Amino acid sequence: QVQLVESGGGLVQAGGSLRLACAASGSMFSINDMGWYRQSPENERELVATITSGGSTNYADSVKGRFTISRDNAKKTVFLQMRSLKPEDTAVYYCNAEIWTQYARGWSRYWGQGTQVTVSS
């Protein structure tokens, strides 16, 4: 069974930084795209950033220039470096990955359990 486990959330003051990590574990053949999404009580879940297996990245306009997504394919881990954090970045951040498993005999999308990021003003 595939699991995505996030870590690195917490409370930080505006202008500060945090680094999130998400590690995939379990029986899998390959990981395609990986990404981060976030959801606050006021908003629907939204894309923050994605990265392909080849390293191509995509960012939401609201985080461009402040957040950096990266991945370590050998460790099956995706990272999100967040800088210049703003109160409006406060949300639960979810990891997402497209993974090929023998169990599903194909590609499936998996979600982590989420990690809370709170930015105080």
Side-chain angles (χ1 to χ4, degrees):
Q1 179 141 359
V2 172
Q3 282 190 314
L4 299 178
V5 179
E6 299 106 333
S7 60
L11 173 64
V12 65
Q13 289 188 331
S17 298
L18 282 175
R19 188 184 192 222
L20 306 183
C22 170
S25 63
S27 179
M28 66 191 76
F29 180 76
S30 183
I31 302 176
N32 197 5
D33 293 357
M34 302 184 82
W36 291 94
Y37 292 72
R38 67 187 181 186
Q39 186 169 16
S40 62
E42 302 82 19
N43 300 308
E44 295 183 351
R45 190 171 298 189
E46 62 177 2
L47 179 147
V48 176
T50 61
I51 184 168
T52 67
S53 57
S56 296
T57 59
N58 180 53
Y59 295 93
D61 288 343
S62 59
V63 307
K64 282 181 181 177
R66 299 188 298 122
F67 291 10
T68 302
I69 189 170
S70 61
R71 62 192 284 173
D72 184 330
N73 290 329
K75 295 183 178 180
K76 301 175 185 177
T77 301
V78 62
F79 304 95
L80 186 68
Q81 178 68 53
M82 304 184 291
R83 298 182 175 89
S84 302
L85 283 160
K86 305 175 182 180
E88 51 263 43
D89 294 318
T90 295
V92 178
Y93 283 70
Y94 296 91
C95 174
N96 176 270
E98 186 178 40
I99 300 173
W100 200 99
T101 63
Q102 183 62 34
Y103 173 80
R105 297 184 180 181
W107 296 100
S108 300
R109 286 223 168 257
Y110 293 86
W111 291 92
Q113 82 285 355
T115 185
Q116 177 70 45
V117 172
T118 302
V119 185
S120 63
S121 58

